[in-house]
Amino acid sequence: MFSRRNFLWTSSAAAMFAFQASGKAQQSAETASAENSLPAAIAALPNLSSQPKPFTNEERLARIERARELMSANKIDAIILSNNATSSVYFANIRFGSSERFWALIIPAKVKPFVVCPAFEEDRARELLSAGSFSNDSDILTWQEDESPFELVVKGLKDRGLSSGTVGLDENMKFIFADSIAKAGPQLHLVSAVPVTAGCRMIKDAHEIDCIRLAGRATLLVYRAVYQSLQEGMTTKDVRKLIQTAYQKVGFEGEASLNIGEFTASPHGSTQPQTIREGTILMLDDGCVVEGYTSDITRTFVLGKATDKMKAVFNIVHKAQSAAVSATKPGAPLANVDAAARKVVIDAGYGPGFKYFTHRVGHGMGMDMHEWPYFVRNNMFGWELHPVLKPNMVLSDEPGIYIRGEFGVRLEDDLHTTENGAELLTPQSPSLEDPFANLS
């Protein structure tokens, strides 16, 4: 039956829907206006966020089994990953966050893992665990604000048959936490967990490599779009906004630093305000994150015409980057890769040693932009004196030449060690004046 109440409701609903439609229309118009104001190259970027596959709990449980194999091989009875340890995400999809309050994921070699956390955080801990590889039946040991979490860790180990033994601590654990565990459990032999954590993480599986490869592609697409949008007179602040917008378009979290002219002679640049000038060298560096895995890419280029000296330096760095690829193969010492790239630079007159090529040729990559292993002489893992390359290691390949007061050139791509050699996950830059010519 049609009534006054129905009439009023219908009228109100019609007004509300009209208002919502008007709001949506206005929002669409504002979005369209914002899109139209973007540089064409950035507006045309594809959204890639639907391409990667999430990591599963089955994959994480397999990682834990590998960690246990490495614990056995290294005579470690348990490892402790505290607070903001990336490895707790790697094994269990848990990031507790950085705080003065102690959290920990403890993974014993022979019994199920358990968590130690503040008592008032127990509900959050269970929520975090429920989305990870341990589900809701994991043991959670809680401590009150006036109690010692470190004594609780020692008790948790003792209750699981580890009243003494060798316990590995995450390499990024705060000293105050490590020292407190040592004092609470003097009968424990505390060592680095790196043989286990890095031993697992530095060997990537196909899924991980796919994520790093996609992150690299997304980064280069962003770099190219930004490069095509640059104009003389833009500041580093202007370019930072373009970069942020471009990463929003491709659908991944990312960032990049831009340095210009003489500031490119410092490998990590400067925070000073800088302005783009025609004919000066520019350097873009950094990357983005895909399903927790990072890219790390540097492109050096010129807006306009490069000088002959700039081109000559670029060609030396390009040759050094290729030399590193050629030297990368399973069984080769990591130091040899740095030496191969450095020899090219030194033989071209930019030596000796680290004078112009001021840093190592590369670093491991994965869930952290910098992680084990490293391309450099005297690269000690702490458990392995002369580390060698193994299949499915991924490292940056980033030689550079830095001439103080003038300019610097660095070329960085992400390098995958294959079963027989190596591949760059992203195409090399062909030139200073057309750095993305080979990007499809």
Side-chain angles (χ1 to χ4, degrees):
M1 177 183 294
F2 190 86
S3 67
R4 185 171 177 271
R5 179 179 294 175
N6 289 339
F7 173 77
L8 291 173
W9 185 92
T10 304
S11 300
S12 299
M16 180 180 68
F17 294 148
F19 176 77
Q20 289 177 340
S22 174
K24 289 178 180 178
Q26 182 179 353
Q27 187 177 26
S28 298
E30 289 173 354
T31 302
S33 176
E35 288 287 325
N36 290 336
S37 68
L38 290 177
I42 292 178
L45 282 168
N47 188 298
L48 307 176
S49 60
S50 64
Q51 293 190 15
K53 296 184 302 181
F55 286 85
T56 65
N57 287 334
E58 288 72 20
E59 288 174 291
R60 297 186 186 98
L61 288 169
R63 294 169 178 176
I64 291 170
E65 289 309 306
R66 173 59 180 155
R68 285 173 166 157
E69 292 172 6
L70 290 174
M71 285 187 222
S72 176
N74 288 277
K75 297 180 171 56
I76 294 175
D77 299 301
I79 60 173
I80 302 177
L81 311 175
S82 73
N83 287 56
N84 215 31
T86 304
S87 289
S88 65
V89 183
Y90 177 82
F91 290 115
N93 197 28
I94 299 171
R95 189 179 294 281
F96 299 122
S98 181
S99 171
E100 80 285 0
R101 292 185 175 95
F102 180 80
W103 288 70
L105 168 64
I106 296 96
I107 304 178
K110 295 181 180 178
V111 296
K112 70 180 181 179
F114 64 98
V115 167
V116 170
C117 75
F120 74 91
E121 294 275 38
E122 182 175 356
D123 288 345
R124 184 163 76 92
R126 292 199 181 279
E127 182 179 304
L128 291 170
L129 286 171
S130 68
S133 44
F134 305 147
S135 192
N136 284 315
D137 64 349
S138 298
D139 291 332
I140 297 178
L141 311 184
T142 63
W143 55 277
Q144 297 293 349
E145 294 275 63
D146 59 352
E147 297 176 331
S148 167
F150 313 106
E151 292 178 2
L152 189 59
V153 168
V154 174
K155 182 179 184 302
L157 290 169
K158 182 179 179 180
D159 290 346
R160 289 157 180 79
L162 295 172
S163 56
S164 62
T166 300
V167 176
L169 305 183
D170 182 77
E171 63 184 297
N172 294 311
M173 183 181 289
K174 292 180 179 181
F175 174 80
I176 187 66
F177 293 168
D179 187 54
S180 298
I181 292 170
K183 290 174 179 175
Q187 72 280 14
L188 297 174
H189 176 48
L190 301 182
V191 299
S192 171
V194 168
V196 179
T197 54
C200 287
R201 288 175 52 190
M202 68 184 179
I203 307 298
K204 308 297 189 289
D205 62 24
H207 190 176
E208 293 172 294
I209 292 167
D210 284 346
C211 288
I212 299 171
R213 192 189 302 273
L214 179 57
R217 173 164 174 74
T219 297
L220 281 186
L221 288 174
V222 165
Y223 283 10
R224 181 176 65 181
V226 169
Y227 166 74
Q228 292 170 343
S229 306
L230 295 179
Q231 297 178 21
E232 188 173 14
M234 281 185 172
T235 66
T236 46
K237 185 177 181 180
D238 295 328
V239 177
R240 192 178 306 118
K241 291 178 181 177
L242 291 178
I243 292 163
Q244 291 172 347
T245 302
Y247 272 122
Q248 289 171 2
K249 289 288 293 181
V250 298
F252 300 127
E253 290 187 12
E255 60 182 11
S257 62
L258 173 71
N259 283 282
I260 302 168
E262 63 272 22
F263 294 105
T264 62
S266 175
H268 287 164
S270 170
T271 58
Q272 292 188 44
Q274 302 166 46
T275 302
I276 295 174
R277 305 184 303 276
E278 186 79 13
T280 55
I281 274 191
L282 298 92
M283 185 183 290
L284 273 174
D285 179 33
D286 251 318
C288 70
V289 180
V290 173
E291 292 296 325
Y293 287 78
T294 72
S295 58
D296 190 6
I297 294 174
T298 305
R299 284 295 178 265
T300 308
F301 49 84
V302 172
L303 193 65
K305 294 293 183 182
T307 66
D308 289 343
K309 184 174 183 179
M310 291 174 181
K311 291 178 182 178
V313 171
F314 177 92
N315 289 337
I316 296 166
V317 174
H318 192 281
K319 185 178 177 183
Q321 189 184 44
S322 297
V325 177
S326 297
T328 299
K329 57 185 176 181
L334 283 109
N336 288 12
V337 180
D338 181 87
R342 199 166 300 279
K343 183 177 187 302
V344 171
V345 173
I346 293 171
D347 288 352
Y350 287 94
F354 290 82
K355 184 175 181 180
Y356 290 97
F357 179 7
T358 57
H359 52 76
R360 65 196 173 202
V361 81
H363 54 83
M365 294 176 51
M367 298 186 79
D368 290 320
M369 189 174 280
H370 288 212
E371 61 181 47
W372 297 97
Y374 304 98
F375 281 141
V376 69
R377 185 163 55 93
N378 297 329
N379 173 23
M380 295 175 62
F381 286 172
W383 78 96
E384 188 176 353
L385 183 58
H386 299 294
V388 299
L389 284 158
K390 297 177 183 177
N392 296 321
M393 286 181 170
V394 177
L395 302 96
S396 67
D397 178 2
E398 51 177 309
I401 293 175
Y402 308 94
I403 307 170
R404 283 190 171 186
E406 295 187 47
F407 64 87
V409 173
R410 180 169 68 254
L411 297 176
E412 180 180 17
D413 290 279
D414 305 333
L415 178 63
H416 168 219
T417 307
T418 64
E419 292 290 337
N420 302 308
E423 63 164 342
L424 290 177
L425 299 178
T426 42
Q428 283 179 285
S429 174
S431 72
L432 282 173
E433 295 176 354
D434 197 358
F436 304 101
N438 55 1
L439 179 61
S440 58

